Amino acid sequence: MGALLRLVGVGGVIAYRALFNWTTPSIFVGTLLVGPLFQLFFFAYLGREFGVADDRFYIVGNAVLTAALACVYGGTMAVANERRFGTLGHVLLSPRSRTAIFLGRVLPYAGNGLLIAASTLTVAALLLGLRIPATALPGLLLALASASLACGFFGLTLGALGLRFRDVFLISNVAVALLLLFTGVNVPADSLPAGIRAVGAVLPITHAADAARRLAGGAPLGDVLPAIGLELAVGVGYAVLAAGLLTVFEAESRRRATLDTL
């Protein structure tokens, strides 16, 4: 068990340092900390103009959504960058569990997403005047953490497709757009068609954003624990799916003697 935990924890951190694309602090800050703020401000002021919802709806919803950028792309890069840098074959030849290796890589990206979401929410709340009860902060951190984990495993599921498709980032770009449209972060869920709401219910972000908004509005933690639990359940579902896809595609890669077919 200790060796497995080291493989998941230490291996994930080492891979994060080796494969992370933001090579300088300025790129990291500009892309992952400043960029999401402009998206949040855009939707917040658009919402004010049309009167669809209040500031809390857009600020909290988009703050949760910012976790998706780092986590979805990070989970995708956990597999795709191995092939890009020519090291995927070495990973697949390793005698250690590839499932544990790749699942462990989600954790640093989830921590990265939590940092980004928390900083975005803090800065946006200060600049736009949103007051959040101090008693809501522990619950908000829990909701943001659940969203980050779910997005990380969702990204790893997309990354698993990198064992089959050459341009896996095209899939990631479409997936992030779906999160923007289907999870109710910028359009109230009640206004969405039933089919879109059904799809959104099995996507990350949806339940965490709902929980975070209710907490910011003063709801006690006990009232939103079911929503946070649903978010975690979505994350577990994508973790299982990612593990299954990695196992199946790895077996197919060995049988076909190729790391991609399309």
Side-chain angles (χ1 to χ4, degrees):
M1 179 59 71
L4 179 62
L5 292 178
R6 285 195 300 272
L7 179 64
V8 171
V10 178
V13 172
I14 292 174
Y16 176 85
R17 294 175 62 187
L19 298 175
F20 196 47
N21 279 351
W22 320 113
T23 53
T24 64
S26 61
I27 295 177
F28 179 90
V29 171
T31 304
L32 294 181
L33 294 181
V34 177
L37 277 172
F38 287 101
Q39 175 180 302
L40 187 152
F41 292 148
F42 171 79
F43 284 109
Y45 281 105
L46 189 66
R48 285 180 179 181
E49 182 69 22
F50 289 98
V52 176
D54 58 12
D55 280 357
R56 184 177 72 242
F57 179 89
Y58 293 102
I59 294 173
V60 177
N62 280 278
V64 178
L65 181 64
T66 57
L69 180 62
C71 295
V72 172
Y73 286 113
T76 301
M77 288 190 295
V79 180
N81 273 5
E82 291 284 3
R83 191 178 65 189
R84 176 186 175 189
F85 296 134
T87 55
L88 181 57
H90 301 286
V91 174
L92 297 181
L93 289 174
S94 169
R96 307 305 297 271
S97 169
R98 265 75 64 195
T99 300
I101 290 173
F102 285 120
L103 290 179
R105 293 184 178 184
V106 170
L107 300 181
Y109 290 110
N112 197 33
L114 176 59
L115 170 66
I116 294 166
S119 64
T120 301
L121 179 59
T122 301
V123 173
L126 290 174
L127 294 180
L128 296 180
L130 175 65
R131 300 186 63 180
I132 299 176
T135 55
L137 296 181
L140 279 172
L141 285 176
L142 183 59
L144 294 177
S146 66
S148 298
L149 274 175
C151 284
F153 287 122
F154 179 66
L156 186 62
T157 301
L158 302 178
L161 299 177
L163 296 180
R164 274 292 166 270
F165 297 91
R166 296 182 188 275
D167 190 4
V168 70
F169 288 103
L170 174 62
I171 302 173
S172 298
N173 291 335
V174 173
V176 170
L178 290 179
L179 293 179
L180 181 66
L181 297 173
F182 284 23
T183 56
V185 292
N186 288 309
V187 179
D190 294 340
S191 302
L192 295 172
I196 292 180
R197 291 201 304 271
V199 174
V202 296
L203 289 175
I205 298 295
T206 302
H207 304 292
D210 176 57
R213 286 184 181 121
R214 290 159 60 189
L215 286 165
L221 178 59
D223 289 353
V224 303
L225 282 179
I228 295 176
L230 285 174
E231 186 73 18
L232 290 174
V234 170
V236 170
Y238 281 112
V240 173
L241 179 59
L245 290 176
L246 286 168
T247 301
V248 171
F249 289 159
E250 178 188 348
E252 281 293 298
S253 295
R254 293 179 184 275
R255 187 175 67 85
R256 296 171 179 264
T258 180
L259 294 179
D260 52 44
T261 58
L262 297 177

